[in-house]
Amino acid sequence: MFVAVNGVRLFVDVDNAGLVPAGDTMREKPTLLLLHGGPGFDHSAFKPRFSELSDVAQVVYYDHRGNGRSEDGDRAGWTLAQWGDDVKGLCDALGIVQPIVLGMSFGGYVAQSYATRYPDHPGKLVLASTAARVDFPGIFARFGELGGPEVARIAESYWTAPTTERRAEYFRTCVPFYRRKPADPAKLRRVLVRNDTALHFNGPGNEQGRMDFRPVLGRLRCPVLVMAGTHDPLVPPGVSEALIAALPPGRVRFEGFAESSHDLFGDEAERAFAVVREFIAAA
């Protein structure tokens, strides 16, 4: 379905009922709002595994503006500020109160934008495989450690000056390092890929290179779960440490995944979902 939010129609899908029978009353489950990665991807990577959490939460998927099935709007609105405002606007449109917002990779940037702009709104926040500030030299070095100098060269070529051709080469050569376990080849084929959105945002010369949430993360008032894979080429360990250090110390929980790369929900699925399930259920 489509929901009108801040001047565009966002594609939204819901996995299960939020209000369920419980004896002689009706119980309202919390809402888990999933913010997909990219940019230039859609929500489909979350399916079908995140439906496993439907017993403890109503799972809501959507595509960011300019991504997937959602409308583009004015491209001047393809910013983290607008994408963060869209999270709040979507919740307002659907009547979602105190959502548990999970942002994966780029979705984690959007989650930080939303939560720092509206610190009283989220009930809980999950930041998975993401950063408060991107360390581009660290990314190139990490790809070199994992795949050798040619892989590092291709990563540096794309991230420093993104083009459609360099992005295609990056997908062929570097994206396989996002997982340590073999990926289902059908999973990527299902994704609606928008290269123009990625080229608009990615790289040190675009907003990705300018973003830095570290000075404002102290505003957060909700519990925050940070999840990171040890072998993630996009989020080297120092980047996760900087994110955690910027968060309010009494509100943050960190879970590292020693056998995971960027897609920790693929590499260590059972433990990753167990951690999220526990975080949702915790008081």
Side-chain angles (χ1 to χ4, degrees):
M1 64 180 171
F2 289 90
V3 178
V5 175
N6 296 330
V8 299
R9 295 192 313 149
L10 300 181
F11 180 82
V12 180
D13 207 0
V14 181
D15 222 353
N16 54 84
L19 196 63
V20 295
D24 58 358
T25 189
M26 298 294 287
R27 176 175 64 88
E28 186 173 5
K29 292 186 289 187
T31 299
L32 177 64
L33 182 61
L34 300 175
L35 278 54
H36 67 78
F41 289 176
D42 66 0
H43 72 280
S44 64
F46 288 125
K47 294 176 175 176
R49 287 302 302 261
F50 274 80
S51 63
E52 296 177 14
L53 300 171
S54 62
D55 60 325
V56 293
Q58 182 180 47
V59 182
V60 177
Y61 314 83
Y62 82 100
D63 296 341
H64 307 289
R65 70 169 61 211
N67 291 259
R69 296 160 181 81
S70 291
E71 292 181 344
D72 287 358
D74 186 339
R75 294 193 177 201
W78 290 2
T79 66
L80 288 170
Q82 182 62 69
W83 282 315
D85 286 348
D86 287 347
V87 177
K88 172 64 161 55
L90 179 62
C91 289
D92 290 346
L94 296 178
I96 299 173
V97 178
Q98 291 194 310
I100 300 166
V101 175
L102 185 152
M104 177 78 182
S105 190
F106 163 76
Y109 308 161
V110 178
Q112 291 172 78
S113 173
Y114 150 74
T116 53
R117 292 165 75 79
Y118 305 98
D120 292 321
H121 194 263
K124 296 179 182 179
L125 200 64
V126 182
L127 302 175
S129 303
T130 196
R133 179 170 175 79
V134 177
D135 177 5
F136 289 100
I139 290 173
F140 311 148
R142 198 77 169 125
F143 271 115
E145 293 169 8
L146 294 171
E150 180 62 9
V151 174
R153 182 195 67 78
I154 292 170
E156 184 171 3
S157 175
Y158 171 67
W159 287 111
T160 53
T163 66
T164 301
E165 294 73 24
R166 290 175 177 179
R167 182 168 167 82
E169 187 178 33
Y170 178 84
F171 264 64
R172 288 192 299 269
T173 306
C174 299
V175 168
F177 290 94
Y178 283 22
R179 280 188 65 152
R180 303 190 78 206
K181 289 184 177 179
D184 177 3
K187 182 177 181 179
L188 188 57
R189 291 198 296 267
R190 289 195 294 264
V191 176
L192 293 180
V193 178
R194 289 282 306 270
N195 289 324
D196 54 337
T197 313
L199 300 180
H200 175 88
F201 178 82
N202 283 347
N206 294 323
E207 188 177 8
Q208 187 182 32
R210 296 188 296 270
M211 82 170 197
D212 188 354
F213 289 108
R214 293 173 299 177
V216 293
L217 285 173
R219 299 175 185 172
L220 300 191
R221 300 191 178 103
C222 66
V224 183
L225 170 64
V226 176
M227 306 171 72
T230 300
H231 305 277
D232 188 346
L234 300 186
V235 187
V239 171
S240 294
E241 292 166 7
L243 169 60
I244 294 162
L247 289 162
R251 301 185 186 277
V252 62
R253 168 184 171 185
F254 174 69
E255 291 287 342
F257 291 79
E259 302 302 321
S260 292
S261 184
H262 194 60
D263 185 5
L264 54 86
F265 288 102
D267 283 335
E268 294 183 74
E270 298 308 316
R271 179 171 169 239
F273 282 102
V275 167
V276 173
R277 175 183 296 275
E278 179 188 350
F279 184 67
I280 291 171

